mmCIF file of all heavy atoms in Angstrom:
data_model
loop_
_atom_site.group_PDB
_atom_site.id
_atom_site.type_symbol
_atom_site.label_atom_id
_atom_site.label_comp_id
_atom_site.label_asym_id
_atom_site.label_seq_id
_atom_site.Cartn_x
_atom_site.Cartn_y
_atom_site.Cartn_z
ATOM 1 N N SER A 114 177.077 168.560 83.615
ATOM 2 C CA SER A 114 177.939 169.285 82.649
ATOM 3 C C SER A 114 179.368 169.099 82.824
ATOM 4 O O SER A 114 180.160 168.921 81.926
ATOM 5 C CB SER A 114 177.516 170.840 82.607
ATOM 6 O OG SER A 114 176.280 171.023 82.198
ATOM 7 N N PRO A 115 179.952 169.267 84.133
ATOM 8 C CA PRO A 115 181.333 169.173 84.349
ATOM 9 C C PRO A 115 181.878 167.827 83.908
ATOM 10 O O PRO A 115 182.971 167.632 83.292
ATOM 11 C CB PRO A 115 181.581 169.419 85.789
ATOM 12 C CG PRO A 115 180.375 170.271 86.115
ATOM 13 C CD PRO A 115 179.216 169.630 85.344
ATOM 14 N N HIS A 116 181.155 166.739 84.260
ATOM 15 C CA HIS A 116 181.572 165.419 83.992
ATOM 16 C C HIS A 116 181.662 165.095 82.503
ATOM 17 O O HIS A 116 182.591 164.544 81.950
ATOM 18 C CB HIS A 116 180.638 164.370 84.599
ATOM 19 C CG HIS A 116 180.880 162.922 84.288
ATOM 20 N ND1 HIS A 116 182.023 162.322 84.737
ATOM 21 C CD2 HIS A 116 180.194 162.098 83.385
ATOM 22 C CE1 HIS A 116 181.927 161.044 84.264
ATOM 23 N NE2 HIS A 116 180.945 160.892 83.431
ATOM 24 N N ILE A 117 180.614 165.588 81.807
ATOM 25 C CA ILE A 117 180.560 165.402 80.298
ATOM 26 C C ILE A 117 181.709 166.173 79.599
ATOM 27 O O ILE A 117 182.343 165.625 78.728
ATOM 28 C CB ILE A 117 179.203 165.819 79.735
ATOM 29 C CG1 ILE A 117 178.129 164.902 80.282
ATOM 30 C CG2 ILE A 117 179.160 165.810 78.215
ATOM 31 C CD1 ILE A 117 176.793 165.209 79.986
ATOM 32 N N ALA A 118 182.001 167.346 80.059
ATOM 33 C CA ALA A 118 183.041 168.230 79.475
ATOM 34 C C ALA A 118 184.402 167.549 79.621
ATOM 35 O O ALA A 118 185.193 167.517 78.707
ATOM 36 C CB ALA A 118 182.985 169.573 80.060
ATOM 37 N N ARG A 119 184.631 166.971 80.793
ATOM 38 C CA ARG A 119 185.921 166.193 80.996
ATOM 39 C C ARG A 119 185.982 165.013 80.119
ATOM 40 O O ARG A 119 187.096 164.739 79.532
ATOM 41 C CB ARG A 119 185.994 165.803 82.510
ATOM 42 C CG ARG A 119 186.191 166.942 83.473
ATOM 43 C CD ARG A 119 186.545 166.505 84.869
ATOM 44 N NE ARG A 119 186.622 167.605 85.791
ATOM 45 C CZ ARG A 119 185.609 168.036 86.544
ATOM 46 N NH1 ARG A 119 184.391 167.395 86.521
ATOM 47 N NH2 ARG A 119 185.747 169.029 87.397
ATOM 48 N N ARG A 120 184.933 164.336 79.917
ATOM 49 C CA ARG A 120 184.854 163.132 79.138
ATOM 50 C C ARG A 120 185.293 163.482 77.697
ATOM 51 O O ARG A 120 185.704 162.678 76.864
ATOM 52 C CB ARG A 120 183.624 162.467 79.144
ATOM 53 C CG ARG A 120 183.258 161.826 80.511
ATOM 54 C CD ARG A 120 184.077 160.537 80.809
ATOM 55 N NE ARG A 120 183.647 159.482 79.965
ATOM 56 C CZ ARG A 120 184.291 158.256 80.079
ATOM 57 N NH1 ARG A 120 185.188 158.118 80.914
ATOM 58 N NH2 ARG A 120 183.861 157.280 79.218
ATOM 59 N N LEU A 121 184.876 164.626 77.205
ATOM 60 C CA LEU A 121 185.124 165.153 75.912
ATOM 61 C C LEU A 121 186.624 165.622 75.724
ATOM 62 O O LEU A 121 187.010 166.080 74.703
ATOM 63 C CB LEU A 121 184.254 166.281 75.480
ATOM 64 C CG LEU A 121 182.760 165.842 75.279
ATOM 65 C CD1 LEU A 121 181.864 167.017 75.144
ATOM 66 C CD2 LEU A 121 182.594 164.932 74.051
ATOM 67 N N GLY A 122 187.358 165.626 76.796
ATOM 68 C CA GLY A 122 188.790 166.008 76.782
ATOM 69 C C GLY A 122 189.106 167.383 77.051
ATOM 70 O O GLY A 122 190.195 167.837 76.932
ATOM 71 N N ALA A 123 188.051 168.087 77.559
ATOM 72 C CA ALA A 123 188.277 169.509 78.047
ATOM 73 C C ALA A 123 189.072 169.568 79.342
ATOM 74 O O ALA A 123 188.794 168.747 80.190
ATOM 75 C CB ALA A 123 186.939 170.196 78.270
ATOM 76 N N GLU A 124 190.016 170.469 79.425
ATOM 77 C CA GLU A 124 190.732 170.686 80.689
ATOM 78 C C GLU A 124 191.292 172.195 80.596
ATOM 79 O O GLU A 124 191.153 172.892 79.577
ATOM 80 C CB GLU A 124 192.053 169.758 80.624
ATOM 81 C CG GLU A 124 192.882 169.864 79.455
ATOM 82 C CD GLU A 124 194.029 168.866 79.479
ATOM 83 O OE1 GLU A 124 193.851 167.806 80.150
ATOM 84 O OE2 GLU A 124 194.988 169.070 78.809
ATOM 85 N N GLY A 125 191.639 172.659 81.765
ATOM 86 C CA GLY A 125 192.157 174.015 81.860
ATOM 87 C C GLY A 125 191.035 175.044 81.605
ATOM 88 O O GLY A 125 189.900 174.958 82.035
ATOM 89 N N ASP A 126 191.417 176.051 80.830
ATOM 90 C CA ASP A 126 190.491 177.122 80.480
ATOM 91 C C ASP A 126 189.306 176.571 79.607
ATOM 92 O O ASP A 126 188.137 177.022 79.813
ATOM 93 C CB ASP A 126 191.141 178.251 79.647
ATOM 94 C CG ASP A 126 192.035 179.074 80.580
ATOM 95 O OD1 ASP A 126 191.880 179.058 81.777
ATOM 96 O OD2 ASP A 126 192.944 179.732 79.986
ATOM 97 N N LEU A 127 189.568 175.584 78.785
ATOM 98 C CA LEU A 127 188.479 175.017 77.942
ATOM 99 C C LEU A 127 187.414 174.329 78.861
ATOM 100 O O LEU A 127 186.286 174.504 78.608
ATOM 101 C CB LEU A 127 189.115 173.949 77.039
ATOM 102 C CG LEU A 127 188.280 173.409 76.008
ATOM 103 C CD1 LEU A 127 187.770 174.437 74.993
ATOM 104 C CD2 LEU A 127 188.967 172.266 75.220
ATOM 105 N N LEU A 128 187.879 173.626 79.833
ATOM 106 C CA LEU A 128 186.886 172.998 80.836
ATOM 107 C C LEU A 128 186.132 174.059 81.484
ATOM 108 O O LEU A 128 184.871 173.943 81.807
ATOM 109 C CB LEU A 128 187.659 172.104 81.759
ATOM 110 C CG LEU A 128 186.860 171.491 82.885
ATOM 111 C CD1 LEU A 128 185.733 170.561 82.239
ATOM 112 C CD2 LEU A 128 187.814 170.631 83.830
ATOM 113 N N SER A 129 186.797 175.125 82.056
ATOM 114 C CA SER A 129 186.112 176.148 82.838
ATOM 115 C C SER A 129 185.087 176.843 81.964
ATOM 116 O O SER A 129 183.917 177.069 82.479
ATOM 117 C CB SER A 129 187.184 177.212 83.287
ATOM 118 O OG SER A 129 186.556 178.226 83.996
ATOM 119 N N TYR A 130 185.420 177.145 80.705
ATOM 120 C CA TYR A 130 184.415 177.723 79.902
ATOM 121 C C TYR A 130 183.170 176.880 79.565
ATOM 122 O O TYR A 130 182.000 177.302 79.566
ATOM 123 C CB TYR A 130 185.062 178.163 78.486
ATOM 124 C CG TYR A 130 185.990 179.345 78.514
ATOM 125 C CD1 TYR A 130 187.199 179.343 77.823
ATOM 126 C CD2 TYR A 130 185.714 180.429 79.370
ATOM 127 C CE1 TYR A 130 188.132 180.340 77.890
ATOM 128 C CE2 TYR A 130 186.637 181.535 79.330
ATOM 129 C CZ TYR A 130 187.742 181.482 78.671
ATOM 130 O OH TYR A 130 188.702 182.580 78.653
ATOM 131 N N CYS A 131 183.481 175.563 79.289
ATOM 132 C CA CYS A 131 182.412 174.664 79.115
ATOM 133 C C CYS A 131 181.410 174.573 80.314
ATOM 134 O O CYS A 131 180.251 174.562 80.124
ATOM 135 C CB CYS A 131 182.957 173.214 78.931
ATOM 136 S SG CYS A 131 183.666 173.056 77.247
#
Side-chain angles (χ1 to χ4, degrees):
S114 292
H116 175 71
I117 294 172
R119 290 189 185 93
R120 295 286 292 180
L121 289 171
E124 55 185 23
D126 288 342
L127 187 65
L128 175 62
S129 177
Y130 287 140
C131 283

